[in-house]
Amino acid sequence: MKVSLNWLKDYIDIDLSAQEVSEILTGIGLEEEGMEKVESIEGGLEGVVIGHVLECGKHPDADRLSLTKVDVGNDSPLQIVCGAPNVAQGQKVMVATVGTTLYPIDSDEPLKLKKGKIRGQVSEGMICAEDELGIGRDHSGILVLPEDTQVGTPARDYFQVETDHVYEIGLTPNRSDATNHLGVAKDLAAYLKVNRDYQQGVKLPNVDNFKVDNNSLPVAIEVEDATACPRYAGLTIKGITVKDSPDWLQRRLKAIGLRPINNVVDATNFILHELGQPLHAFDLAKVDGHKIIVKALPKGTKFTTLDETERELSGEDLMICNSKEEGLCIAGVFGGIGSGVTETTTDLFLESAHFNAKWVRRTSMKHNLRTDAAKVFEKGSDPNIVVYALKRAAMLIKELAGGEIASEITDLYPDPVSPAHVTVNYQHVNRLIGVEIPKETLHSILAALEMEIVKDSAESFTVAVPTNKTDVTREADVIEEILRIYGYNEVPINEQVRTSLNVAPQPDPNLLRDKIGDLLAAQGFHEMMALSLSRSQYYQAFYTSLPKEQLVYVNNTSNVQLDIMRPDMLFSGLEAILHNQNRQQNRLKLFEFGRTYQHGDNKIDEQQHLSLFLAGDRYAESWLDNRKGEADYYTLKAFVEQVLSRFGLNGYQETAIKDEDFSFGMQYHRGPQILVRFGKVNSKLAKAMDIRGSVFYADFRWDALVKSRRKHKVAFEELNKYPTVRRDLALVIDNSVKFNDIVAVARKAGKKLIKDINLFDVYENEAQLGAGKKSYAISFTFENPEKTLKDKEVDKVVNKLIAEYESKLGASIRK
């Protein structure tokens, strides 16, 4: 939220520097995230002065250019080449001197003037048009000033350029009272009263002169759901003239980053940022039947908003409708394309309402319409300011656009909201703040915050909380308000720090995470952090084996599509892969530590996981490395086994898997305890997510890994000084035989001498090998750390291997 210092000074008389105000705002909990100096005209017209055209003749080499001599109050006149058709001798004009930076209104780039030659003639500046100065859009000719204008007067003085300071405030969701300049001014005044003996109050805009001119244009109002719309008020104004806003109003809006539109729309935006009450102006000619109905339209109803986007309503979107129950506006969020104020509008209906925060937030998030009005309503607007703001806006529109108030105020407020009463114990104030605050100081703080003490005793007090502070409902909330104004910096810091020893569990899960994270990062992986929320539609569409009852639903009004806690890690990774592929990232290696959530036996089962994802190219693109190819199952398998090795795990069972997650894959487990499941993600899932190519995914059960971890010690052994011996075998085996079966037999038969076993070729040919057969070419490396091996010793082990393979695996040896 942006706050203008000049705007604040409209309500509070202060003689403080911009930096002092910044420090106070931060000190009272309005965390100031940045301060910017702004000018009412961009650049402040520094270097632009009023000049007098002494001479004006044709450029000797260009008929369309004029060669002028201009007096700007210096010792000698400036020679300026000018291309404007209306330049003439004797004029008073705006001159941008050499070194000046201009900000033309229709240009994205500033213009810095330099001394130079134009068609052979020296030009020492520029005689400016309105658009070049940034004060208008006229470029038909230079700006000609009245004859009595004083030569040499700076342009910033002539145009009364206003300097302002704008604060960017990081407003927390609970600060409904500080969504506007008047709310910030009240906080600032409260601090100054308590801490700097400030005697004046906040000057509220006066609406005592509000009056209804006639009742010639009444509008009927009907609210069907008082829960969604607790208060709705409105009136009509006829005979207005829609035009540009005056300079003072445009300056206020531009300072906080708003684009002026016209005097009516600007007036409603001004009131929003002044009082924190959103308003909406309807062209009365477009309100059929001169009747307003506040209701939700049926699900699936189409409605086109101001941004010319057709939206489908949900059935829970509150709408402002006409007598035919046709939508005019999404209540509290965004206007409709067919009912807004335009240049031809002469009569209008002005709305001021209080809408339910949950309804507005739900609609705003569903349609991705994060408007200023919606942000105020979803924090909780003040229902008791509705009519005051309506009067203020009506008087301002009459001042800016003329016309007359042509109806009485209609105010539907069936259940008025009264200030909440909260009881606070004095001892709790001192205990939570950490310092004893005298009762007199407490009472002065509460008075400055406009919290009336309705009951007081020796032990406690009860305050009436203003209705603009929707978040202040408990004792702790009132104490927080007291602390803000008392001052966070006034709470002393103890010089003595006491602590207690905390012994980390063994093994330390955080340390293990860091080690595995470092291992994966060293292998080129990037760590991702996804939301623990997911979409139920994923699991309803793709998973038939996961009962709906196991999903953990949440009431997420901020984003209704993220409606469950994720039951697995898969879709988080697929979303990240899609996000990266859409940004032309074609080599993806991702890992994530996270939790999953499912309903178990009378409780929510929360599990820790580590997930790995591979997609796209296997090798980085390089002029030095010509290797090509995509990541595959075996690439992932190698990383999986590295992680398990880092945990000291090497004794586990292997089971092939094929399910809704995986087209094919493997599960490593110890009995029923699963360590990891990995493989190629089901192609139907990847295709449904619009992911290009194959995705390989590993899901480690982190809790099981930590529980099964063996203390891993780094062991060193001397390099073997004796030569190794290699033997190769080509085994014809059934397709059901796995490489691990071959390794297990070899380790048992030659465990003392076999150092390494490697599969270097797979051959399949049904015509040559027979149906259901394959050929594995395997190398065996032999060594003895104590002596040089003889051929007879190696041959003996190889013959034993052949016999074992033939008897146990049904293998035959290809000669």
Side-chain angles (χ1 to χ4, degrees):
M1 171 185 163
K2 291 187 175 181
V3 175
S4 157
L5 179 56
N6 288 352
W7 201 340
L8 285 178
K9 289 181 177 179
D10 290 343
Y11 314 114
I12 177 173
D13 290 325
I14 52 175
D15 185 21
L16 300 172
S17 70
Q19 185 59 41
E20 285 180 292
V21 173
S22 170
E23 292 170 359
I24 292 173
L25 292 178
T26 301
I28 60 178
L30 296 174
E31 192 67 32
E32 191 260 302
E33 297 180 343
M35 179 176 67
E36 178 186 7
K37 181 180 178 181
V38 298
E39 308 278 5
S40 57
I41 299 175
E42 190 170 5
L45 298 179
E46 292 289 347
V48 181
V49 296
I50 294 172
H52 181 208
V53 181
L54 302 176
E55 299 175 14
C56 181
K58 285 188 176 181
H59 191 290
D61 298 320
D63 291 340
R64 293 185 179 182
L65 298 178
S66 299
L67 190 62
T68 66
K69 294 286 186 180
V70 184
D71 176 17
V72 293
N74 294 339
D75 294 337
S76 58
L78 303 177
Q79 177 172 294
I80 297 176
V81 177
C82 180
N86 64 328
V87 64
Q89 185 176 344
Q91 291 174 335
K92 298 291 180 66
V93 294
M94 286 289 174
V95 178
T97 56
V98 172
T100 299
T101 299
L102 295 177
Y103 297 84
I105 203 160
D106 288 323
S107 175
D108 294 331
E109 297 293 331
L111 172 64
K112 186 168 184 178
L113 296 184
K114 299 178 181 179
K115 183 177 180 179
K117 289 185 178 182
I118 299 177
R119 302 296 289 269
Q121 295 294 322
V122 173
S123 185
E124 300 174 295
M126 183 170 78
I127 305 175
C128 300
E130 278 189 6
D131 65 329
E132 292 163 337
L133 295 171
I135 62 174
R137 297 191 178 276
D138 187 3
H139 193 68
S140 60
I142 59 170
L143 178 64
V144 180
L145 306 175
E147 292 183 2
D148 59 352
T149 309
Q150 183 67 40
V151 172
T153 302
R156 64 177 296 112
D157 294 342
Y158 180 83
F159 288 112
Q160 298 179 345
V161 175
E162 184 180 88
T163 300
D164 196 359
H165 288 82
V166 176
Y167 306 102
E168 186 75 40
I169 291 177
L171 203 60
T172 52
N174 63 321
R175 292 304 308 278
S176 59
D177 59 320
T179 58
N180 54 87
H181 282 76
L182 197 57
V184 175
K186 287 182 177 181
D187 259 11
L188 187 57
Y191 175 86
L192 294 174
K193 284 180 181 180
V194 172
N195 296 281
R196 301 200 183 181
D197 198 28
Y198 182 72
Q199 298 300 319
Q200 302 180 54
V202 174
K203 295 177 290 186
L204 300 177
N206 194 316
V207 297
D208 291 344
N209 294 328
F210 172 85
K211 70 180 182 66
V212 177
D213 297 305
N214 56 66
N215 199 28
S216 59
L217 280 179
V219 171
I221 300 175
E222 178 184 331
V223 177
E224 291 193 3
D225 190 338
T227 300
C229 178
R231 189 175 191 181
Y232 193 96
L235 55 75
T236 60
I237 306 175
K238 74 174 184 178
I240 65 168
T241 301
V242 178
K243 57 186 179 181
D244 288 341
S245 298
D247 289 342
W248 72 265
L249 179 53
Q250 292 198 34
R251 285 199 300 268
R252 287 286 181 266
L253 297 179
K254 286 179 180 178
I256 60 172
L258 295 182
R259 178 176 62 88
I261 298 173
N262 59 54
N263 49 0
V264 174
V265 175
D266 293 350
T268 60
N269 283 333
F270 178 82
I271 300 302
L272 167 62
H273 291 275
E274 177 186 59
L275 303 178
Q277 174 58 48
L279 304 161
H280 195 79
F282 298 88
D283 187 331
L284 189 58
K286 300 171 184 175
V287 180
D288 191 273
H290 284 197
K291 182 177 183 180
I292 292 291
I293 303 174
V294 185
K295 63 174 296 180
L297 294 177
K299 182 179 181 180
T301 301
K302 306 293 185 181
F303 179 71
T304 303
T305 47
L306 275 173
D307 57 358
E308 301 182 357
T309 300
E310 185 179 77
R311 303 177 188 276
E312 185 175 303
L313 303 180
S314 69
E316 294 183 325
D317 297 325
L318 190 66
M319 300 293 294
I320 309 300
C321 305
N322 60 21
S323 61
K324 295 180 180 180
E325 299 190 353
E326 298 167 332
L328 301 173
C329 170
I330 302 178
V333 179
F334 207 36
I337 189 125
S339 62
V341 173
T342 65
E343 294 177 353
T344 61
T345 300
T346 57
D347 305 328
L348 62 83
F349 172 75
L350 187 61
E351 163 197 284
S352 180
H354 172 67
F355 298 114
N356 184 288
K358 292 181 179 179
W359 279 70
V360 172
R361 185 184 301 115
R362 180 174 57 212
T363 296
S364 172
M365 297 303 299
K366 178 184 183 298
H367 297 291
N368 195 27
L369 290 170
R370 307 296 296 145
T371 60
D372 288 342
K375 290 175 184 177
V376 170
F377 278 127
E378 67 185 27
K379 284 182 172 65
S381 63
D382 183 1
N384 291 325
I385 204 176
V386 165
V387 170
Y388 171 73
L390 184 63
K391 291 179 179 179
R392 166 74 166 145
M395 292 173 66
L396 183 57
I397 290 173
K398 276 189 65 176
E399 176 188 331
L400 301 176
E404 54 188 24
I405 297 174
S407 75
E408 297 288 344
I409 293 176
T410 302
D411 181 21
L412 303 184
Y413 195 17
D415 298 307
V417 176
S418 300
H421 286 195
V422 179
T423 300
V424 181
N425 188 293
Y426 282 112
Q427 288 187 352
H428 293 173
V429 175
N430 298 330
R431 177 175 59 82
L432 287 178
I433 293 179
V435 63
E436 187 166 342
I437 302 176
K439 285 187 179 181
E440 295 77 11
T441 303
L442 279 179
H443 291 178
S444 66
I445 291 173
L446 294 170
L449 287 168
E450 299 179 351
M451 290 186 178
E452 180 187 358
I453 299 178
V454 296
K455 184 180 179 181
D456 191 18
S457 68
E459 293 79 24
S460 64
F461 61 90
T462 301
V463 293
V465 179
T467 50
N468 69 329
K469 295 181 181 291
T470 57
D471 65 301
V472 181
T473 58
R474 307 167 302 160
E475 181 185 55
D477 299 330
V478 175
I479 295 173
E480 183 183 358
E481 290 291 291
I482 292 170
L483 175 58
R484 285 196 310 105
I485 303 305
Y486 179 74
Y488 293 110
N489 294 334
E490 297 300 318
V491 179
I493 300 174
N494 290 331
E495 295 180 359
Q496 199 175 51
V497 178
R498 296 180 181 180
T499 186
S500 57
L501 292 175
N502 185 24
V503 180
Q506 290 296 329
D508 187 341
N510 293 324
L511 186 59
L512 288 177
R513 278 184 53 159
D514 289 344
K515 286 184 176 180
I516 298 301
D518 290 344
L519 171 69
L520 293 170
Q523 298 294 333
F525 279 82
H526 291 89
E527 183 171 8
M528 57 172 275
M529 295 179 69
L531 292 175
S532 293
L533 298 171
S534 190
R535 302 168 185 251
S536 61
Q537 66 190 53
Y538 288 154
Y539 301 91
Q540 293 165 3
F542 304 122
Y543 283 12
T544 57
S545 61
L546 183 64
K548 183 178 179 181
E549 295 74 24
Q550 284 185 235
L551 298 178
V552 180
Y553 283 85
V554 293
N555 183 23
N556 183 9
T557 56
S558 295
N559 189 332
V560 294
Q561 295 174 340
L562 298 176
D563 57 344
I564 61 169
M565 304 298 288
R566 61 179 176 187
D568 64 23
M569 304 286 286
L570 177 58
F571 284 102
S572 298
L574 294 181
E575 287 176 340
I577 288 171
L578 178 63
H579 180 87
N580 279 276
Q581 284 188 345
N582 288 341
R583 286 153 182 81
Q584 300 183 358
Q585 300 299 311
N586 300 319
R587 181 172 178 262
L588 299 173
K589 300 168 75 174
L590 306 174
F591 74 96
E592 180 187 11
F593 292 99
R595 296 175 184 269
T596 62
Y597 309 83
Q598 294 187 30
H599 277 294
D601 298 331
N602 300 319
K603 66 175 184 177
I604 294 176
D605 186 22
E606 184 176 340
Q607 298 288 338
Q608 290 265 21
H609 292 256
L610 164 63
S611 59
L612 309 185
F613 291 90
L614 296 179
D617 297 335
R618 181 177 180 183
Y619 304 105
E621 191 175 35
S622 172
W623 66 273
L624 191 60
D625 189 347
N626 294 324
R627 289 180 298 176
K628 303 291 182 182
E630 295 188 344
D632 56 22
Y633 169 80
Y634 294 101
T635 309
L636 178 66
K637 183 173 183 284
F639 291 128
V640 167
E641 293 183 350
Q642 280 188 41
V643 172
L644 294 176
S645 175
R646 194 70 182 85
F647 272 91
L649 299 176
N650 50 25
Y652 40 78
Q653 298 159 285
E654 301 178 11
T655 302
I657 55 174
K658 182 178 180 180
D659 55 22
E660 292 171 318
D661 282 349
F662 298 103
S663 294
F664 60 84
M666 189 70 69
Q667 175 175 289
Y668 290 170
H669 58 101
R670 287 180 168 176
Q673 185 182 62
I674 298 172
L675 300 176
V676 61
R677 301 173 79 246
F678 64 96
K680 180 185 177 184
V681 172
N682 194 312
S683 300
K684 292 181 179 178
L685 290 183
K687 185 176 180 180
M689 295 285 288
D690 292 327
I691 291 173
R692 301 184 300 275
S694 300
V695 178
F696 297 90
Y697 160 59
D699 178 22
F700 290 91
R701 307 300 169 87
W702 185 257
D703 294 327
L705 288 183
V706 173
K707 185 177 179 181
S708 304
R709 170 184 173 270
R710 294 174 58 188
K711 194 168 183 180
H712 190 63
K713 291 185 177 180
V714 177
F716 298 90
E717 62 180 30
E718 185 180 358
L719 290 175
N720 190 0
K721 59 185 178 181
Y722 299 102
T724 59
V725 178
R726 169 172 167 159
R727 292 283 192 274
D728 295 344
L729 288 178
L731 304 178
V732 178
I733 51 179
D734 291 336
N735 285 336
S736 60
V737 177
K738 301 172 188 175
F739 177 65
N740 282 346
D741 298 331
I742 295 171
V743 172
V745 170
R747 292 293 182 199
K748 189 173 182 181
K751 58 184 177 180
K752 290 184 178 180
L753 298 181
I754 295 178
K755 180 69 174 178
D756 188 39
I757 306 166
N758 179 50
L759 173 65
F760 63 88
D761 187 44
V762 177
Y763 178 67
E764 293 179 312
N765 187 318
E766 189 171 316
Q768 294 182 6
L769 302 178
K773 297 289 186 177
K774 60 185 176 183
S775 174
Y776 275 5
I778 302 170
S779 67
F780 299 87
T781 302
F782 298 84
E783 72 172 23
N784 189 324
E786 298 176 354
K787 65 178 184 177
T788 300
L789 285 171
K790 296 179 180 179
D791 286 342
K792 284 203 254 181
E793 293 175 294
V794 174
D795 291 340
K796 183 178 178 181
V797 177
V798 171
N799 291 333
K800 185 177 180 182
L801 283 175
I802 293 172
E804 292 285 322
Y805 287 144
E806 290 175 341
S807 63
K808 293 184 177 180
L809 302 182
S812 61
I813 308 301
R814 293 181 65 196
K815 303 293 186 181

